[in-house]
Amino acid sequence: MTPQQYPRLWGAVLSGLLLIAPVLQAQEPEWLELVRQQKAQQPAAMLKLLQQHEAEFPRWQRAVQLQYLLQQADIYESLEKYQQQLQVAEQALVLLGDERTELTVEFWNNLGFAREMQGQYQQAMAHYQQASQLAKQLGLQKLAIEADINIAAIYSAEEKYQEALQLLQACYKKASQLNDEETQAYVNSELGLLYSSLGFDRDARQFMQQALAGYKKLGFQKEQLDVLFNLAASYNQAEDYALSMQYYDELLQLAKTQNDPVNLYFAYLGLASTSRNSAKTDAALAYIEKAEDYLPVLQSTFQNAMHHLERAMISRDLGQISLAGQQLEQAEQALAQEDNSQNQSSRLGMLRLKARLEADLGRYQQAYQHLDEFFSGYRKLRNKEHELSVERLRLAFDVERQTAANELLAKDNELKAMRLQEVERNRQIQWLWIAIFGFTTLILLILLLWQLTRRQQQMRVQQSASGNSR
C-alpha cells in the first residue's frame, strides 16, 4: 500500500464511524438499564449513578435523554424530592414537545404527583386527567390505572369520598383483570388509605396488609415504608397503641437501613403521636424533637402544618399552654399557604385545639366560639346522606369482592376435588396391583405346595418299591 493510500483508507474508516455513531449513541447504556431495574430497591444509590453520568447528557440521542429523565423523575418521587421531580418532568415534557406517546403519559403522571405532594391539587388533577385520557387512547392499561388511582387520591384529599371510592373500585376490577402485581399492590394501598379516611378500619387494614405483602414480594422498599406508616397510623387511630408502635418501629428500622431522612421523620412523628395518645407525653416530646431534626428535608407545607399541630398538642398535654398557642399559630400559617382550601379535617382539628387552649387560659367565651365553629364544620363534613351513599358503595363493592372470592374458592374447591379423585383413583389402582400381586403369590404358593406334595409322594412310592424288592 502506497503512502498516498493511507489518507483514503482512514477517510473510509472515519466515514464508517460517523455513519454508525448515531446508532451507538441511541443504544441505551448498561448502567441506565441497571438504574431501571434497581431504582425501586436502591433509589439513593441509583440516583448517585445517574448523577455520575449527568455531564454526558448533551451527547446522547433524544431517546436516551428521555429515558434518563424518566428514571431520574421516578427516583426523585421515591426519595420524596418533589420539587426536583417537578423540574425534571417539566424538562422532559419540553423535550417531548407535541409528541404524544407512552413517555408523555409517564411524565404527566410524574408532574401531577409532584404537584399533588406540594398541595397543588387542581394542577395535579389536570395532569392526571391528561395522563388518563392519553393512556386510554394508546391502550396503555397499566398507566391508565395509575393515573386513575392518582385522580382518586385527589378526590380523597378534597374529601370527595364517593367519587374516590367509585373510581378506585373501577381500578380494582381493572387491576385484577390485568394481573399485574405492582398495580394490584398500588390500588390496594390506596383503597386502604381511603377506607381508613372513611372509618372502615378493618377493611382498610386488610387492603394495606395485601399491599404490604405485594410490595415485599416485589422488593419495593419505598412503597413498603409508605404502607407501614399508614398501617401504624390506622392502629393508632383504632387505639391499638401496641401494634401501632410495632409498625412505627418497623418503619423506623427500615428507614435507618435505607438512610431515608423523610421516612425517619415520619417514623419519629408517628411514635410521638402514638406516645401522646397513650398518655406517654415525655416519650412523645422526645420523639417529636427527633422528628424535627429531619423536618427541613420535607417539601410539603401541609406536612409542616401537621407537624406544628402535633407539637402544639404535645405542649398542651405538658401544660405548656403558651408554647402550644405559638405552635398552633405556625400550623395555621403553614396551612394557609396550601392551594387546596377544601381540606376541612385539618382545619377542624385546629379549631378543636384552639377551643381547648382558650379554655385552659380561662377564656371560655372564645373557647365556645371556636367549639361552635368546629361543630358547624363537622356537621357539614359528616353529611348523613353523603355518608349513607358512601356506605352503600362500600357494601356493593364488598359484595363484588366476596363474589369474586367465592368464585376463586369454588375453583379452588373444584381443583381440590379433582386432586382427591386422582388420589382415590391412584389408591384404587394401588389396591388392584396389590390384589393382583397377592393372587399371583397365592397361585405360586399353591403350585409350590403341589410340587412339594407330589415330590413327597414320589419319594414314598420309591421307598415302598425298594422295600418290596428286598
Side-chain angles (χ1 to χ4, degrees), residues 164-173 191 195 393-394 397:
L165 186 53
Q166 284 177 322
L167 191 52
L168 282 179
Q169 286 175 2
C171 290
Y172 185 90
K173 291 178 186 175
L191 276 166
Y195 270 52
L393 274 171
R394 184 185 76 89
F397 183 40

Side-chain angles (χ1 to χ4, degrees), residues 59-193:
R59 300 198 297 272
W60 298 328
Q61 286 239 321
R62 179 169 168 272
V64 179
Q65 289 177 336
L66 287 168
Q67 283 300 322
Y68 177 90
L69 292 173
L70 179 61
Q71 306 316 314
Q72 196 174 40
D74 287 346
I75 290 173
Y76 279 138
E77 178 183 325
S78 294
L79 297 175
E80 302 189 34
K81 297 184 176 183
Y82 303 120
Q83 188 58 43
Q84 292 92 323
Q85 182 188 12
L86 186 147
Q87 292 169 356
V88 170
E90 287 180 332
Q91 180 186 352
L93 287 166
V94 169
L95 192 59
L96 279 165
D98 294 330
E99 185 178 326
R100 294 292 178 263
T101 64
E102 181 177 345
L103 282 172
T104 313
V105 176
E106 296 203 63
F107 283 116
W108 271 339
N109 270 331
N110 266 284
L111 189 57
F113 194 86
R115 291 196 183 281
E116 179 192 344
M117 291 299 102
Q118 296 178 82
Q120 301 167 9
Y121 295 123
Q122 295 308 312
Q123 292 168 290
M125 176 67 87
H127 295 312
Y128 289 149
Q129 288 172 339
Q130 287 175 304
S132 177
Q133 290 168 8
L134 181 57
K136 288 167 186 173
Q137 288 172 13
L138 298 174
L140 304 169
Q141 287 182 289
K142 182 175 178 178
L143 288 175
I145 294 170
E146 180 184 339
D148 285 345
I149 292 172
N150 292 334
I151 290 170
I154 298 291
Y155 282 142
S156 182
E158 294 178 341
E159 290 158 5
K160 298 177 181 177
Y161 298 124
Q162 188 170 353
E163 293 90 335
L165 186 53
Q166 284 177 322
L167 191 52
L168 282 179
Q169 286 175 2
C171 290
Y172 185 90
K173 291 178 186 175
K174 292 174 184 175
S176 299
Q177 294 166 359
L178 191 61
N179 198 26
D180 180 87
E181 291 181 343
E182 182 182 354
T183 307
Q184 287 176 326
Y186 191 17
V187 73
N188 281 330
S189 176
E190 289 300 321
L191 276 166
L193 271 177

Side-chain angles (χ1 to χ4, degrees), residues 239-448:
E239 299 182 0
D240 191 338
Y241 301 126
L243 270 175
S244 179
M245 294 293 281
Q246 178 183 318
Y247 278 111
Y248 276 129
D249 187 62
E250 188 177 345
L251 170 66
L252 178 64
Q253 301 311 317
L254 185 56
K256 283 180 177 179
T257 61
Q258 293 295 303
N259 194 24
D260 183 341
V262 172
N263 280 293
L264 283 169
Y265 167 79
F266 281 113
Y268 283 123
L269 179 70
L271 288 166
S273 175
T274 306
S275 297
R276 175 180 60 79
N277 288 337
S278 56
K280 298 176 181 177
T281 316
D282 291 335
L285 180 62
Y287 284 129
I288 199 74
E289 287 176 346
K290 287 183 178 180
E292 283 178 356
D293 293 339
Y294 302 99
L295 183 60
V297 302
L298 270 66
Q299 297 180 356
S300 168
T301 51
F302 175 78
Q303 189 54 49
N304 194 39
M306 294 303 98
H307 177 89
H308 289 298
L309 179 60
E310 183 64 39
R311 184 68 191 261
M313 289 189 284
I314 292 171
S315 298
R316 178 187 178 272
D317 289 348
L318 289 168
Q320 301 168 349
I321 308 304
S322 176
L323 181 58
Q326 293 172 14
Q327 291 290 332
L328 183 59
E329 186 178 348
Q330 287 181 272
E332 289 181 311
Q333 289 172 356
L335 198 61
Q337 298 174 32
E338 289 285 302
D339 290 349
N340 174 35
S341 60
Q342 299 187 35
N343 196 322
Q344 295 300 317
S345 298
S346 305
R347 289 173 173 80
L348 288 174
M350 291 183 183
L351 282 170
R352 189 162 175 257
L353 182 57
K354 268 187 178 181
R356 289 179 174 180
L357 291 175
E358 295 290 2
D360 290 339
L361 293 169
R363 298 198 287 256
Y364 300 110
Q365 183 62 33
Q366 294 91 324
Y368 173 78
Q369 289 173 353
H370 291 314
L371 202 57
D372 185 59
E373 192 177 348
F374 166 79
F375 280 115
S376 176
Y378 185 81
R379 280 195 299 271
K380 291 178 183 177
L381 183 64
R382 298 301 178 196
N383 180 282
K384 288 296 177 187
E385 184 179 348
H386 178 73
E387 286 190 348
L388 285 172
S389 64
V390 170
E391 177 67 13
R392 284 194 295 271
L393 274 171
R394 184 185 76 89
L395 290 174
F397 183 40
D398 286 347
V399 170
E400 291 174 3
R401 287 170 56 213
Q402 189 60 49
T403 302
N406 288 341
E407 289 176 357
L408 286 173
L409 183 60
K411 289 179 181 178
D412 187 50
N413 288 338
E414 186 180 344
L415 184 61
K416 285 179 180 177
M418 290 173 64
R419 286 175 179 168
L420 285 172
Q421 289 175 359
E422 184 68 23
V423 169
E424 180 63 22
R425 192 180 299 111
N426 290 337
R427 190 175 67 83
Q428 289 174 354
I429 292 170
Q430 187 178 18
W431 277 112
L432 179 61
W433 280 111
I434 291 172
I436 291 170
F437 178 75
F439 184 70
T440 305
T441 305
L442 181 61
I443 290 172
L444 290 172
L445 184 60
I446 291 170
L447 287 171
L448 182 64

